[in-house]
């Protein structure tokens, strides 16, 4: 009875979401045609006859939308997902759906499917689908608060993490979980469990019999894996035989910063812990922006590059461009490009100037570096010497925004491993360090700003940093 009811509700949900997309398509058509932006007039549109080809194409499009929603997890249980995750998944799905519609329009030369039409369709579908998902979640939450659609969960382990999980999941009544109790052999050594008020249902040996005689939908395993691996493995195998869902805490190593993410490789599930910026569509967008902006700026700045190159060549002998080995993504080495601002072979003079170093930490900075040329001082003060790094951005060695790439000498001077986490993302031309004082702040603060950028990263943060970089450069804030 429960399975039949669930199948019916799932089928209804599939029809509901697909129906919403059809509604959005119809609304977009009405809005675009009435505004005279659909490639046909309103009178011509109303007099159009539906062809069999169009009907087949639209049916195929509906199937594609359904597949996109399925792949996006719309029809899977999302009880523990956050509302922001639901909204993000919905936006991703409708973006793919709009893109699929645009491709179909181009391939089959559909005059109705213009850029304006796809944009209106995307805005409508995103708004409707997001609203629908939030509404469905709110409706289900109300049902679960009244004691319906509950899932009974049994927790294996009585340590503090297990008790904390029970309290958090029971505190969210809209999720619809009821903690049946705990299973453990050594519960008497756990003071937090002893005072929690939760019940111990059985020990690990009695788990099999308990599962046979009680309603259990899920088992959450919180046993210490190093000392209780066999117990956890046996419990998971037992749940598999009973068809019971198993939840395993992903933070098995108790990592402080790294976040866990479920992954799959050729059918083998993995739990991936990442502490940098996670791959995905935002990174793809960031890289696309890097390529487009860097290529445009390189073309626009060619006259400036030519003038600067002539000035450098006239003032002193040597190469116009300065190339140096820097440390990039995950410690990959690459050659960085900058306009030469110092005398030729300035690197070889560094040992003689070490005593004049004014920077803290392993980096080397001198405000009035005697190796700088007159033109070089101007270039450094205005940050024009950094512009050739747009070549590095275009090549993929760097990004427009990211932690500054450091020379090998500076990298070898790092004495704290937490500082090296900054190398787990692509370096950039500007970052929080550049817009917060640059060379005027300490090395320790610099590293903290880089890690702050990584932990709070978003495309919007990149936009804000780029916007703040221009005033910082004009002021010459902290420039050396």
């Amino acid at each position: 009875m429960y399975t039949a009811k669930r199948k019916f509700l799932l089928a209804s949900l599939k029809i509901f979401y697909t129906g919403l997309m059809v509604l959005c398509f119809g609304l977009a058509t009405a809005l675009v045609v009435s505004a005279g932006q659909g490639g046909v007039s309103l009178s011509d549109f109303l007099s159009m006859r539906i062809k069999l080809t169009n009907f087949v194409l639209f049916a195929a499009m509906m199937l594609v939308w359904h597949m996109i929603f399925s792949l996006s997890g719309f029809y899977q249980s999302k009880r523990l997902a956050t509302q922001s995750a639901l909204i993000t998944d919905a936006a991703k799905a409708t973006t793919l759906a709009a893109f699929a519609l645009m491709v179909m329009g181009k391939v089959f030369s559909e005059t109705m499917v213009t850029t304006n039409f796809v944009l209106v369709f995307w805005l409508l579908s995103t708004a409707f689908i997001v609203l629908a998902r939030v509404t469905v979640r709110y409706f289900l939450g109300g049902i679960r608060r009244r004691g319906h659609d509950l899932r009974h969960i049994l927790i294996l382990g009585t340590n503090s993490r297990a008790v904390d999980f029970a309290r958090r999941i029971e505190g969210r009544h809209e999720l619809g979980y009821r903690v049946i109790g705990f299973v453990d052999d050594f519960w008497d050594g756990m003071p937090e469990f002893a005072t929690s008020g939760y019940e111990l249902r059985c020990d690990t040996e009695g788990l099999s019999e308990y599962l046979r005689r009680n309603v259990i939908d899920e088992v959450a395993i919180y046993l210490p894996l190093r000392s209780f691996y066999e117990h956890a493995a046996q419990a998971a195998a037992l749940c598999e035989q009973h068809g019971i869902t198993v939840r395993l805490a992903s933070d098995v190593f108790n990592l402080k910063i790294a976040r866990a993410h479920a992954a799959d490789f050729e059918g083998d599930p993995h739990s991936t812990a990442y502490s940098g910026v996670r791959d995905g569509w935002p990174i793809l967008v960031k890289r696309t922006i890097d390529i487009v902006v860097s290529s445009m700026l390189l073309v626009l700045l060619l006259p400036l590059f030519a003038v600067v190159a002539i000035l450098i060549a006239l003032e002193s002998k040597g190469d116009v461009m300065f190339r140096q080995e820097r440390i990039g993504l995950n410690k990959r080495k690459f050659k960085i490009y900058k306009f030469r601002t110092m005398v030729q072979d300035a690197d070889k003079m560094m040992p003689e100037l070490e005593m004049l170093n004014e920077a803290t930490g392993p980096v080397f900075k001198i405000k009035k570096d005697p190796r700088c040329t007159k033109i070089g001082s101007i270039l450094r003060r205005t940050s024009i010497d950094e512009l050739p790094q747009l070549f590095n951005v275009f090549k993929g060695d760097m990004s427009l925004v990211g932690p500054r790439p450091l020379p090998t000498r500076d990298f070898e001077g790092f004495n704290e491993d937490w500082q090296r986490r900054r190398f787990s993302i692509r370096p950039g031309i500007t970052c929080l360090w550049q817009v917060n004082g640059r060379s005027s702040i300490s090395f320790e603060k610099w590293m903290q700003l880089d890690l702050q950028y990584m932990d709070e990263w978003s495309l919007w943060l990149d936009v804000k940093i780029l916007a703040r970089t221009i005033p910082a450069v004009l002021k010459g804030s902290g420039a050396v």
Side-chain angles (χ1 to χ4, degrees), residues 173-369:
H173 300 294
E174 72 277 9
L175 299 180
Y177 277 95
R178 180 187 173 195
V179 177
I180 300 300
F182 288 72
V183 177
D184 206 347
D185 293 334
F186 306 100
W187 64 273
D188 55 340
M190 303 294 176
E192 190 166 348
F193 173 75
T195 58
S196 66
Y198 289 114
E199 293 187 39
L200 184 76
R201 295 299 180 180
C202 62
D203 56 17
T204 53
E205 287 188 6
L207 178 61
S208 177
E209 184 66 22
Y210 189 84
L211 293 179
R212 293 192 194 106
R213 300 184 180 278
N214 293 275
V215 177
I216 301 296
D217 298 301
E218 298 185 17
V219 171
I221 298 178
Y222 274 86
L223 288 173
L225 290 187
R226 185 172 67 175
S227 50
F228 290 92
Y229 174 78
E230 289 297 329
H231 291 78
Q234 290 172 7
L238 189 61
C239 291
E240 182 183 40
Q241 293 174 1
H242 283 262
I244 295 172
T245 300
V246 176
R247 292 195 179 275
L248 182 67
S250 57
D251 58 336
V252 292
F253 303 114
N254 197 28
L255 300 176
K256 301 291 188 298
I257 300 172
R259 291 152 288 179
H261 168 66
D264 183 272
F265 175 69
E266 296 184 352
D268 294 331
H270 292 81
S271 180
T272 306
Y274 62 95
S275 54
V277 176
R278 186 175 146 198
D279 291 337
W281 70 267
I283 292 295
L284 180 60
V285 173
K286 179 180 172 73
R287 180 62 190 138
T288 303
I289 293 172
D290 285 342
I291 294 172
V292 172
V293 173
S294 63
S295 58
M296 291 175 60
L297 288 177
L298 284 171
V299 174
L300 293 172
L301 294 172
L302 275 178
L304 176 63
F305 281 20
V307 172
V308 172
I310 292 171
L311 292 174
I312 293 172
L314 289 175
E315 184 184 25
S316 61
K317 294 181 180 179
D319 297 330
V320 170
M321 285 289 180
F322 171 72
R323 301 171 183 83
Q324 186 183 52
E325 188 175 81
R326 296 288 177 104
I327 306 299
L329 176 63
N330 285 324
K331 305 171 194 68
R332 289 175 174 84
K333 295 180 180 180
F334 69 96
K335 292 289 185 181
I336 196 172
Y337 303 111
K338 299 176 71 174
F339 281 122
R340 180 172 61 83
T341 58
M342 297 183 179
V343 297
Q344 189 73 3
D345 298 325
D347 281 352
K348 296 178 181 178
M349 300 169 59
M350 189 178 291
E352 303 171 11
L353 302 173
E354 286 284 359
M355 64 181 68
L356 301 177
N357 186 16
E358 299 172 6
T360 59
V363 294
F364 183 86
K365 294 286 181 183
I366 304 175
K367 287 184 178 179
K368 295 182 179 180
D369 199 314

Side-chain angles (χ1 to χ4, degrees), residues 427-442:
I429 296 178
T430 184
C431 200
L432 290 176
W433 174 68
Q434 275 80 355
V435 299
N436 282 280
R438 300 168 74 179
S439 300
S440 61
I441 64 176
S442 68

Side-chain angles (χ1 to χ4, degrees), residues 42-58:
L42 181 60
S43 58
D44 290 339
F45 175 76
L46 293 175
S47 62
M48 287 174 63
R49 301 175 67 180
I50 300 176
K51 299 178 182 178
L52 179 61
T53 306
N54 292 337
F55 181 80
V56 172
L57 286 176
F58 191 72

